[in-house]
Amino acid sequence: MLAYFDCFSGISGDMTLGALVDLGVPIQWLTEELHKIPLSGFELSATEVSVHGISAKRVRVDVPKESGSRNYRQIHAMILNSPLSERVRQRSSAIFDRLAAAEAVIHDCPKDSVHFHEVGGVDAIVDIVGTALCLEFLDIETIAASKIPLGNGFVKSRHGILPVPVPATLAILKDIPVYGTEIPFELVTPTGAAILAALSTSFGKMKDMAIQKVGYGAGTYQLESAPNLLRVIIGQGSMGPDELHAPFETDTVWVIETGIDDMNPEVLGYTVERLFAKGALDVCLCPVYMKKNRPGTMLQVLCHGDRRDEIVGCILTETTSLGVRYYESRRQKLKRQKVLVETSFGQVLVKKIEDLSGGERIVPEFEVCKKIALARQIPIQRVYETIIKETAGARTHVSLAPAERVAPDGPLEGS
């Protein structure tokens, strides 16, 4: 079964539970399952409401006496030691892991010792584990979601007044397509963001599917501009090979391009360097024929959404272009990661790529090979061949490279 989260008014933990209960999950069954964690001191209720004329479920978690904050280690152990099914434990842990990773970065502390306040109370544990339980009850295998709308303004927290979206929400939504709105409310909570970041395989338009049922979960706020609802659509179909096949990864990037026919081509080389410095993922220079049959160059840049405006500014500043066009594009990629391997040159930074057959291949980094070739006064091709030959099949010698040691301007190689 497939589930598409249509987040036209954002998402929160209680909205998620409301939509899933509206799809047919019995509230009594959900309460009994949650008590298996074990988790006590809460009451779960669901009421039917009408929001802008749409019938929806509003789920409330009443906690008469707050049990205080919990850290990630305690919550993780509580979930893993519960008698719930393996898939429920995995999904719940994945969601809390997203929350902990974001809070650890924001508060500059180890993930295991992160103390959750608002998101660490009984209500949030109910929201997260309850969501995993509902997905299992409905036999949801694959989840996709729309782009995520963000509100604005400020919200009170135990740390003080925070801007909306709050820092944790923004950290969790990294690399996930979002868009801003003029709605002065917190449309996306950290819990809601973590649910989608941990469980959704894709973000964007709904894929082809045969719709079987639609559920609506009501939020707390009453919005004038739109119904404050989360819509979850379930059915049968295919989400496409980009989301379902393990060897593939997908993301969304921006393509920015412009045609240039009145510029010194020497300057284009400098422009390419400036674009990479501004955060471009890739830059292409393609020969084209423009108006009046003039030979020119098509400059095309790939970047993430948060770098788009800076990339556009760089193009309009460094070239003679009077304007650019841009559009979003989905990418389908083989899984890859930067790793360190032991070679006769010492530890060398390479890319490990998983191919469609489940095998792996090693691709040396150009800057690393260049540095070794210059230092040892040997042909760079020999460096490539040596690294590939010495690492062929040597999976046990590959270790994950620490994040701080894989920066493109500081490639590693042995002494």
Side-chain angles (χ1 to χ4, degrees), residues 251-255 281 302-305 327-331:
D251 66 355
T252 300
V253 295
W254 284 86
V255 180
L281 300 173
L302 298 185
C303 69
H304 289 305
Y327 50 90
E328 280 188 296
S329 179
R330 292 285 290 167
R331 293 196 302 177

Side-chain angles (χ1 to χ4, degrees), residues 256-260 268 271-272 275 283-286 288 297-301 315 319 321 324-325:
I256 305 171
E257 57 189 23
T258 186
I260 302 171
L268 281 174
T271 302
V272 170
L275 289 168
V283 181
C284 293
L285 299 174
C286 307
V288 294
T297 301
M298 175 67 71
L299 172 62
Q300 188 181 77
V301 184
I315 293 173
T319 74
S321 174
V324 304
R325 53 187 169 271

Side-chain angles (χ1 to χ4, degrees), residues 113-312:
S113 61
V114 166
H115 274 268
F116 298 102
H117 298 291
E118 285 82 358
V119 296
V122 172
D123 55 344
I125 296 175
V126 169
D127 286 344
I128 290 170
V129 180
T131 293
L133 284 165
C134 289
L135 292 173
E136 175 153 288
F137 182 92
L138 296 170
D139 196 25
I140 304 298
E141 294 287 344
T142 306
I143 297 170
S146 64
K147 295 180 183 179
I148 311 301
L150 302 178
N152 60 72
F154 297 90
V155 65
K156 290 183 179 180
S157 76
R158 293 193 181 186
H159 298 290
I161 304 297
L162 298 178
V164 174
V166 299
T169 297
L170 285 181
I172 294 167
L173 292 177
K174 183 179 182 295
D175 295 329
I176 291 175
V178 302
Y179 61 94
T181 73
E182 297 300 320
I183 300 175
F185 292 102
E186 184 182 19
L187 298 183
V188 181
T189 66
T191 300
I195 289 171
L196 292 185
L199 304 183
S200 180
T201 60
S202 66
F203 294 86
K205 296 179 180 179
M206 186 168 65
K207 304 292 183 179
D208 294 346
M209 64 185 297
I211 297 174
Q212 293 185 352
K213 201 169 184 181
V214 181
Y216 292 90
T220 303
Y221 302 123
Q222 295 296 321
L223 305 180
E224 295 182 1
S225 57
N228 189 18
L229 298 170
L230 169 67
R231 177 163 57 189
V232 177
I233 305 166
I234 62 175
Q236 299 289 344
S238 172
M239 301 302 276
D242 53 334
E243 288 87 17
L244 295 180
H245 286 67
F248 290 113
E249 292 180 343
T250 63
D251 66 355
T252 300
V253 295
W254 284 86
V255 180
I256 305 171
E257 57 189 23
T258 186
I260 302 171
D261 65 357
D262 58 348
M263 178 176 166
N264 183 348
E266 290 181 341
V267 181
L268 281 174
Y270 172 79
T271 302
V272 170
E273 294 178 0
R274 295 294 300 142
L275 289 168
F276 278 119
K278 296 290 186 181
L281 300 173
D282 202 0
V283 181
C284 293
L285 299 174
C286 307
V288 294
Y289 282 96
M290 302 177 66
K291 60 185 178 183
K292 299 182 181 179
N293 290 325
R294 295 173 184 168
T297 301
M298 175 67 71
L299 172 62
Q300 188 181 77
V301 184
L302 298 185
C303 69
H304 289 305
D306 61 343
R307 313 305 299 173
R308 186 193 68 192
D309 291 343
E310 194 165 2
I311 293 293
V312 170

Side-chain angles (χ1 to χ4, degrees), residues 13-15 17-18 21 27 30-31 42-47 49 57-63 123 126-127 218-220:
D14 58 344
M15 292 169 75
L17 279 187
V21 168
I27 197 72
L30 182 57
T31 302
F42 73 93
E43 291 185 5
L44 198 61
S45 62
T47 57
V49 297
K57 287 292 193 303
R58 175 172 289 142
V59 170
R60 289 179 54 88
V61 182
D62 294 316
V63 185
D123 55 344
V126 169
D127 286 344
T220 303

